[in-house]
Amino acid sequence: MILKETLKEVVKAQKAELLQTPLGISRKKSEEIATDIGLAVVVSGIRRSGKSTVLRQIINQQKTFHYLNFEDVRIFGFNVEDFKRLEAVFDEECISDYYFFDEIQNIPNWEIFVRTLIDRKKTKIFITGSNASMLSRELGTRLTGRHIRYELFPFSYMEYLKFRNMKPGISSFEKYFEEGGFPEYLMYKNIRVPQELFNDIITRDIIVRHSLRNEKVVKDIALYLISNVAKEFSFTQLAKLHGMGSTNTIISLINYFENSYLFYSVPRFDFSLKKQIRNPKKIYSVDTGFVRANSVSFSRDEGRLLENLVFQELRRRDNSIYYFRQERECDFVVRDRKNKYHAFQVCLDLNEENKSREINGLLEAMQYLKISSGLILTLKQEDALQIDGKTITVLPVWKWLME
């Protein structure tokens, strides 16, 4: 139980601190968010990607509002019974229909309180969270049909240009490719920022939250994955590599990593769901700057990093993403929201040594999917190829990112 006086102090202090926070650049996601509907608006994503700033931008449009960040140590132990006292504190402070909650998924049964607010019809509720699974579980029970969800990622290339006040082109793209899109890292340019973020997610969102005992193994597997982005892996392989007898623990760990938005596993494309589940997957991380800062043995394979960056944008565009491998390999097969398929190949540059492998891998995927055009994304090259009645466009990644 949290004393009402404590809640008053925390609410007042947090609100004052929030209003002093810079508004930051306008995020594309902020423009998409519906702010005047009778549903709970949920913004989820990795820590430090700018979720609180998005809330701040929405708050700036309101005359009055209620706000609480549930990760404040002063309200440690807050539980569902404390919501009644919190609401009394809010009502004493001001009258408003707008409620903003940061990291509310930390409170068991939070959805009960949110449901009561939604049922009042006029109430507008905005929620952020950094754990996809925990939010989904509650949203799928008591809030079914009463919420709309958005995912926020680190800055896109377009947002990076706005933040850095730069123009599109190879020069600015190479900087984005190196630095990534975490706002705080771009602001301070201190490598400890993404390193501390990595450790924070591993410790707080995975080890502590799931009561894991072998901290070293968890960190070792996370470091292995971030050092091997854009590579295939299997649960069995990871279990053997780290001396684990069962793959069940590995499967759980990968789920925890994905729920915290740290990593994403991409299945091999197959029309059979059973084969998709059984086949090896490829691993990607949330941001290239984040990968560079935390890779202990990364080989400076810029091609794999470029592939990771393309994955980030495909994920940001809300596609279903796969990789393709039969006789040859194609980096990405994508099904968009209109249920249309697209094929992408990614390489640092297309040259005489690799052109046969890259083009034939793309063509095989295109033929399998019965599509007539495909895309090869490179660092700087631009070209157009007609092969066997199919069109292959070669394009610099930065131009594709502008689309």
Side-chain angles (χ1 to χ4, degrees):
M1 182 184 74
I2 308 297
L3 293 174
K4 186 177 177 182
E5 195 59 35
T6 302
L7 285 173
K8 279 184 182 179
E9 293 175 7
V10 172
V11 166
K12 184 179 179 180
Q14 284 191 5
K15 195 168 188 178
E17 184 179 351
L18 180 72
L19 291 174
Q20 292 175 2
T21 304
L23 286 173
I25 67 164
S26 175
R27 300 294 299 269
K28 186 175 186 297
K29 193 61 67 177
S30 300
E31 299 166 5
E32 297 174 5
I33 292 175
T35 60
D36 198 29
I37 57 174
L39 302 173
V41 173
V42 181
V43 181
S44 63
I46 192 169
R47 291 180 181 273
R48 301 298 180 184
S49 58
K51 298 187 298 296
S52 297
T53 302
V54 167
L55 286 195
R56 176 71 182 90
Q57 291 170 355
I58 298 172
I59 284 170
N60 196 52
Q61 304 167 25
Q62 317 307 326
K63 292 182 180 179
T64 60
F65 66 93
H66 302 304
Y67 172 81
L68 189 64
N69 183 339
F70 288 93
E71 289 211 315
D72 195 312
V73 294
R74 292 169 291 185
I75 54 171
F76 179 77
F78 189 105
N79 59 45
V80 69
E81 287 79 16
D82 292 314
F83 277 116
K84 189 172 183 179
R85 273 183 292 280
L86 176 63
E87 191 169 13
V89 169
F90 281 159
D91 289 341
E92 289 175 14
E93 183 194 38
C94 67
I95 301 300
S96 179
D97 291 328
Y98 286 85
Y99 291 77
F100 296 84
F101 298 123
D102 254 334
E103 302 294 347
I104 196 172
Q105 84 277 349
N106 291 329
I107 312 303
N109 299 312
W110 61 268
E111 71 279 6
I112 298 173
F113 174 66
V114 171
R115 171 71 181 267
T116 63
L117 292 178
I118 293 172
D119 288 344
R120 294 177 186 175
K121 306 299 182 186
K122 291 184 179 180
T123 307
K124 311 295 186 298
I125 303 164
F126 301 86
I127 295 167
T128 73
S130 55
N131 187 288
S133 176
M134 292 181 73
L135 279 172
S136 296
R137 187 166 60 244
E138 287 85 0
L139 293 172
T141 53
R142 293 185 176 90
L143 294 181
T144 300
R146 286 177 167 82
H147 72 278
I148 182 169
R149 185 167 181 170
Y150 302 88
E151 283 188 313
L152 190 72
F153 300 90
F155 286 158
S156 66
Y157 177 52
M158 296 284 283
E159 290 169 334
Y160 176 88
L161 293 177
K162 191 184 298 184
F163 183 85
R164 285 285 192 228
N165 194 25
M166 299 175 78
K167 294 181 179 180
I170 186 61
S171 178
S172 61
F173 173 74
E174 286 180 329
K175 289 293 291 180
Y176 174 64
F177 186 29
E178 177 188 351
E179 296 178 331
F182 275 100
E184 199 172 359
Y185 179 44
L186 296 178
M187 191 178 300
Y188 299 112
K189 281 311 299 287
N190 186 333
I191 198 170
R192 288 182 62 86
V193 171
Q195 290 173 346
E196 288 299 328
L197 174 60
F198 181 80
N199 289 328
D200 200 30
I201 292 170
I202 295 298
T203 302
R204 294 171 64 186
D205 294 343
I206 297 171
I207 294 172
V208 173
R209 178 164 284 162
H210 299 286
S211 303
L212 303 182
R213 289 176 292 179
N214 200 330
E215 181 177 337
K216 184 178 183 304
V217 168
V218 176
K219 289 186 175 180
D220 284 349
I221 293 172
L223 287 171
Y224 173 84
L225 292 174
I226 206 167
S227 300
N228 287 276
V229 293
K231 287 187 176 182
E232 283 185 337
F233 77 95
S234 71
F235 300 128
T236 303
Q237 166 212 359
L238 282 179
K240 287 182 179 177
L241 189 63
H242 295 278
M244 306 180 76
S246 170
T247 60
N248 291 334
T249 302
I250 295 293
I251 292 170
S252 295
L253 275 180
I254 296 296
N255 285 332
Y256 299 155
F257 291 148
E258 292 196 276
N259 288 332
S260 64
Y261 297 96
L262 188 60
F263 295 110
Y264 300 86
S265 62
V266 172
R268 183 190 294 180
F269 182 83
D270 201 292
F271 287 113
S272 165
L273 183 59
K274 287 184 179 179
K275 289 182 180 178
Q276 273 188 31
I277 294 171
R278 189 171 62 245
N279 285 331
K281 295 175 173 55
K282 290 180 78 171
I283 198 74
Y284 295 94
S285 189
V286 68
D287 179 82
T288 52
F290 188 71
V291 172
R292 292 180 193 272
N294 288 289
S295 300
V296 292
S297 59
F298 203 77
S299 61
R300 309 300 296 174
D301 186 338
E302 299 288 292
R304 286 199 287 121
L305 279 174
L306 192 66
E307 184 179 329
N308 196 100
L309 189 148
V310 169
F311 165 80
Q312 293 163 208
E313 183 62 22
L314 290 171
R315 184 67 180 77
R316 190 179 281 111
R317 295 180 185 184
D318 198 24
N319 296 292
S320 297
I321 309 169
Y322 313 87
Y323 75 98
F324 180 89
R325 182 192 292 278
Q326 287 196 340
E327 294 297 319
R328 300 176 180 86
E329 181 177 352
C330 179
D331 292 323
F332 298 111
V333 163
V334 167
R335 189 176 70 244
D336 65 21
R337 283 179 285 185
K338 295 180 180 179
N339 221 30
K340 293 183 178 180
Y341 285 102
H342 309 269
F344 298 82
Q345 199 74 292
V346 185
C347 60
L348 208 60
D349 66 286
L350 198 62
N351 53 52
E352 294 302 323
E353 291 182 5
N354 68 9
K355 71 176 184 181
S356 176
R357 180 182 72 245
E358 303 292 351
I359 291 172
N360 289 333
L362 182 62
L363 283 172
E364 184 176 359
M366 291 164 62
Q367 289 163 357
Y368 187 82
L369 296 167
K370 297 180 173 59
I371 56 178
S372 59
S373 62
L375 195 59
I376 298 179
L377 295 169
T378 69
L379 188 61
K380 300 178 181 179
Q381 289 163 280
E382 193 163 357
D383 207 339
L385 310 172
Q386 293 289 332
I387 304 174
D388 297 334
K390 297 187 182 295
T391 300
I392 295 178
T393 302
V394 182
L395 198 65
V397 173
W398 72 266
K399 286 193 175 183
W400 174 71
L401 292 172
M402 298 291 293
E403 295 175 356

